[in-house]
Amino acid sequence: MSDPLVVSRKHQILQTASRLFREKGYTATTMRDIASAMHIEAASLYHHIRSKEELLDTICFEMADKFITALKEVNDIYFDAEQRLRMAITFHVQIMTGNMDQSAVFLNEWRSLPEDKLEAFKKLRNQYENEFRIIVSDGKKEDIFDDVDEKLAALTILSAVNWIYQWYNPAGKMSPGEIADQLSNLLLSGIRKKLIIEPGYKV
């Protein structure tokens, strides 16, 4: 059984590292910076982690797991594609707004992963993108979405939701749920199949 104090300390280290990686960048942040921010000796960090690389690895892969697990759950539900896309966007927004520093590191610093981890991480990113492509593809089959390019649609959706970490303010006027609703409405308006009214037809 894990020692709660050890787990708690490692969590504190991860939180501090995430904030510093976001503020200064991964490359510019040192172990001494992390220790200083926690008001401990740098040597004390090594009782809980092996290296700065381990911190980046943990942050990136834990976030990837959160995103992929949430989206797989969405795609296992037998709703139509529009409902699933709304749920997928909502989960993504909730994860990002609940983990702002980690999200920024996940999105911006993954290229600094060591080579042996980089390929595995790229596969997870592609897997996540593919889950969105599945939703778009299903929406086309269900005649809900236009005949859009599935890859372009998935990347557009992800670009829109990933930008949240740059501007979201927990004290702002919109809650994560409200942000997700508005983003869903905007993004769905771009791919939802338009109703064509024949000339002379009265609504």
Side-chain angles (χ1 to χ4, degrees), residues 84-95:
R84 281 161 50 212
L85 185 54
R86 285 183 179 276
M87 292 171 68
I89 291 170
T90 297
F91 281 140
H92 193 101
V93 170
Q94 288 174 342
I95 292 169

Side-chain angles (χ1 to χ4, degrees), residues 80-82 139-146 191-193:
D80 66 39
E82 178 169 339
K140 289 164 63 175
K141 292 172 187 174
E142 295 163 8
D143 206 31
I144 296 172
F145 298 156
D146 265 332
I191 63 172
R192 189 187 290 112
K193 197 147 192 176

